Amino acid sequence: MSEKKKIYKPKPVSGFPEWLPEYRAVEQRWLDKIRGVFESYGYCSIETPAIEELEVIAAKGEDVDKEIYVLERLQADPDEKKDARLALHFDQTVPLARYVAQHFADLTFPFKRYQMQKVWRGERPQMGRMREFYQCDIDVINVDSLPLHFDAEVAAICYEALEALDIGRVQLRISNRKILMGFLESLNVPDKKTNGETTVKLSDETKAEIIRDIDKLEKIGKKVLLSRLEQTLLVVGELGVNFQTFIEPFLNLAETKIKPGENILELFQNNSEIDSSNEMLREGIEELQFVLDQLAHLPEHAVVADLSIVRGLDYYTGTVYETQLLDVPEFVGSVCSGGRYDDLAGSYINKHLPGVGISIGFTRLFDVLRQAGKIQPGQKSPADVLVVLPSEERRAEAAQTARTLRERGLKVELYHAPQKVGKQISYAEKKGIPYVWFPPFEDGNAHEVKNMATGEQTEATPNDWTMND
RNA sequence: GCGACUGUAGCUCAGCUGGUAGAGCCCUCGGUUGUGAUCCGAGUUGUCGCGGGUUCGAGUCCCGUCAGUCGCCCCA
């Protein structure tokens, strides 16, 4: 007879966050604010399915492949293999490309859209890194060519959206991939095979390795970075000793944060060790300068050019962005990143569709600030008023009071049982409901309302009371 | 995927060199009649992550496993 109820103890699944009501309330408010800023620039909303065909999602590059969640039925029918495999989307940029290609005929270009949905990545979770999270994307896609102004516009919009959240100072860091690509292309480094007698161009593989490492410049520093390059590349390599001395001048530039108004080309030309005549390099500098100067209206700290920003995703071809929270130094990751991609939809449609966009890593942003204690939790209930239930006999009257208040635009909860008044009040207190309404407990008595913050209680009528009374 | 650390009540944790589990918070009730956040009193709560081993005996030691945290890779 003493058999115990079997309980399955719930455990949170790491990397799949969920919040208590008081934080969810803040999260909703933030999403509304971001949406408001996006729409104020005329960007429209779309939503794409949580899943895409694996073929579509995996189009990005090998590194992300291993992080893709695929979807299958528990009882997968072996004969069903002919069906396309499905996968949860990894980001919203690739689904956008597919969407644009698919609805090409019905869209108006330049197509400006925002999209706020969850995405999934199978990574090891840690501070600021989840396996399920919201991204707030804003992108512009056009046919044939896309004016460079948009590279500045999407950045400015995102900055404004972040500013609207009142989260302290944020800094956009912008670069242009063409600069680093052009620089690496221009190099003639000593050939190992000839013991440095002749020179050789960097292979794509080597370039990729260097790019990956330069991304870490701020984190690990120039010295460590150079010795790392030496270690990884000399071994692999076609490169002769001291090849790092060819990279170093660039790192010196990449270490500085360039403000709007500064002349980037001059910085290169003043550095005699860098050959700034490379065409791609020049183009990148010009573009970066343009975008940077277009953002000069933003506050002092808000935007810098930072040549160490290159971004991991392969599809970016020009402008790239990252964003730091300057007032949360314990977190160094980017909370808002993106870039320009010249032809992401090219594999779905026979049109040239360049785009540029940025994505706010919403859940990361929210959770990092929450953990840093910078988010004031909201109310546990959206209600403005709790109507006390005096007795079962007076339920109809109390319900009518609540209805009247609701009709006047207030959010009103009616207490569920005629319990002791003290209990009803403490319920309101716990849920953070700011006002408690007392309908008459006896015929002929007046309504009263209590302000929970001040403890003050006054007579009132449901038809004309307002929260400021 | 690799490395380090952790895993005891709903939550935060204590439990010394092995002897059959404890504190605070939370929650419930009470301190008479219609008033919360303080105070006082009483009460409920545990496969000690899971499986195996050593032992007369394991929350405590050993092995395995799973999960979590942090770091690396990568990224929002």
Side-chain angles (χ1 to χ4, degrees):
Chain A
M1 289 277 103
S2 68
E3 76 199 57
K4 236 174 159 191
K5 196 170 63 168
K6 267 276 194 271
I7 288 190
Y8 175 79
K9 263 204 204 164
K11 293 233 170 71
V13 181
S14 171
F16 290 77
E18 59 185 7
W19 317 127
L20 289 169
E22 54 270 37
Y23 283 102
R24 171 63 173 167
V26 177
E27 183 181 50
Q28 288 291 83
R29 207 159 61 221
W30 282 24
L31 287 168
D32 286 345
K33 281 188 176 166
I34 293 171
R35 181 181 298 113
V37 172
F38 286 173
E39 292 194 353
S40 78
Y41 282 80
Y43 285 63
C44 66
S45 170
I46 67 164
E47 180 166 278
T48 61
I51 55 162
E52 298 276 348
E53 290 182 10
L54 183 56
E55 300 275 298
V56 173
I57 294 175
K60 285 183 89 150
E62 331 78 52
D63 250 347
V64 305
D65 279 14
K66 59 184 181 199
E67 298 185 358
I68 293 171
Y69 283 109
V70 297
L71 200 71
E72 59 184 33
R73 288 189 307 136
L74 191 54
Q75 272 130 19
D77 185 344
D79 296 337
E80 254 180 84
K81 282 208 195 89
K82 48 192 147 90
D83 286 354
R85 290 182 80 196
L86 302 176
L88 290 166
H89 58 219
F90 175 95
D91 70 358
Q92 296 176 127
T93 310
V94 168
L96 171 66
R98 192 227 80 222
Y99 181 97
V100 169
Q102 201 156 327
H103 302 285
F104 183 80
D106 298 312
L107 299 176
T108 304
F109 292 90
F111 181 55
K112 307 181 190 180
R113 81 87 178 79
Y114 73 93
Q115 196 168 345
M116 310 199 302
Q117 292 180 236
K118 281 183 171 173
V119 303
W120 293 267
R121 296 185 187 178
E123 307 189 73
R124 291 293 301 176
Q126 48 192 265
M127 165 77 145
R129 209 173 66 184
M130 287 86 185
R131 301 202 273 209
E132 175 180 76
F133 57 97
Y134 278 107
Q135 284 194 322
C136 304
D137 276 39
I138 180 163
D139 289 79
V140 189
I141 291 191
N142 201 24
V143 187
D144 293 332
S145 74
L146 179 69
L148 205 53
H149 294 93
F150 283 117
D151 296 50
E153 177 168 295
V154 291
I157 294 173
C158 278
Y159 182 82
E160 193 176 322
L162 292 173
E163 203 178 30
L165 304 179
D166 193 24
I167 52 175
R169 294 169 307 144
V170 297
Q171 181 173 66
L172 272 162
R173 297 181 178 169
I174 307 181
S175 187
N176 191 299
R177 274 203 170 176
K178 289 176 188 170
I179 297 176
L180 181 55
M181 293 308 284
F183 167 73
L184 293 176
E185 195 182 86
S186 74
L187 289 181
N188 294 299
V189 298
D191 191 346
K192 197 176 188 178
K193 279 188 256 98
T194 62
N195 241 330
E197 296 284 309
T198 58
T199 61
V200 68
K201 290 282 178 190
L202 297 172
S203 69
D204 287 351
E205 221 171 68
T206 304
K207 283 187 208 159
E209 181 67 38
I210 293 172
I211 288 172
R212 248 200 306 281
D213 277 0
I214 284 182
D215 204 30
K216 300 188 182 76
L217 177 60
E218 180 160 298
K219 197 171 174 185
I220 65 178
K222 188 171 79 178
K223 247 178 135 175
V224 179
L225 200 157
L226 284 172
S227 70
R228 235 170 110 136
L229 282 177
E230 185 178 16
Q231 268 182 1
T232 50
L233 294 182
L234 271 184
V235 179
V236 180
E238 69 262 29
L239 307 180
V241 276
N242 289 333
F243 78 91
Q244 317 95 292
T245 56
F246 292 82
I247 313 287
E248 191 169 354
F250 189 90
L251 297 184
N252 291 335
L253 279 182
E255 276 185 324
T256 53
K257 309 250 184 285
I258 304 160
K259 297 201 177 92
E262 285 187 67
N263 190 319
I264 302 168
L265 183 58
E266 251 171 42
L267 289 176
F268 273 83
Q269 286 171 334
N270 291 344
N271 192 324
S272 55
E273 293 171 279
I274 295 181
D275 169 18
S276 52
S277 66
N278 177 279
E279 202 178 318
M280 190 188 285
L281 176 81
R282 281 294 184 106
E283 204 177 300
I285 290 173
E286 247 172 66
E287 290 182 9
L288 180 57
Q289 186 79 59
F290 179 86
V291 173
L292 188 64
D293 291 345
Q294 290 282 304
L295 295 169
H297 64 284
L298 295 176
E300 171 88 39
H301 61 266
V303 55
V304 292
D306 180 338
L307 301 176
S308 71
I309 305 294
V310 287
R311 311 263 60 235
L313 270 28
D314 320 326
Y315 53 67
Y316 295 124
T317 51
T319 307
V320 285
Y321 320 86
E322 282 193 3
T323 311
Q324 306 291 312
L325 296 171
L326 295 182
D327 293 328
V328 190
E330 62 266 37
F331 183 76
V332 295
S334 170
V335 295
C336 174
S337 313
R340 176 178 270 254
Y341 37 93
D342 264 349
D343 192 24
L344 203 54
S347 43
Y348 311 119
I349 189 170
N350 192 20
K351 304 264 184 208
H352 184 58
L353 301 172
V356 63
I358 311 195
S359 173
I360 298 174
F362 183 86
T363 309
R364 161 177 289 185
L365 182 70
F366 187 78
D367 192 40
V368 163
L369 288 162
R370 195 183 59 85
Q371 288 194 48
K374 307 223 175 207
I375 295 182
Q376 195 64 263
Q379 284 178 226
K380 291 179 179 169
S381 156
D384 303 313
V385 179
L386 176 77
V387 173
V388 165
L389 181 62
S391 63
E392 207 50 65
E393 296 73 54
R394 291 187 174 267
R395 185 184 283 274
E397 190 182 2
Q400 181 54 53
T401 302
R403 237 174 280 131
T404 303
L405 292 168
R406 271 184 217 115
E407 276 160 16
R408 298 183 48 236
L410 292 158
K411 298 171 196 152
V412 183
E413 182 174 358
L414 173 62
Y415 197 74
H416 56 278
Q419 289 171 327
K420 292 170 87 172
V421 173
K423 203 168 157 125
Q424 302 197 38
I425 291 176
S426 91
Y427 174 84
E429 203 260 320
K430 272 190 287 188
K431 290 184 84 171
I433 302 173
Y435 293 94
V436 174
W437 190 281
F438 297 88
F441 277 59
E442 287 158 40
D443 290 338
N445 285 6
H447 290 261
E448 288 179 15
V449 63
K450 180 186 185 77
N451 179 326
M452 290 295 287
T454 63
E456 215 179 322
Q457 188 166 328
T458 52
E459 291 192 2
T461 52
N463 285 312
D464 62 13
W465 177 81
T466 63
M467 284 203 274
N468 306 321
D469 287 359

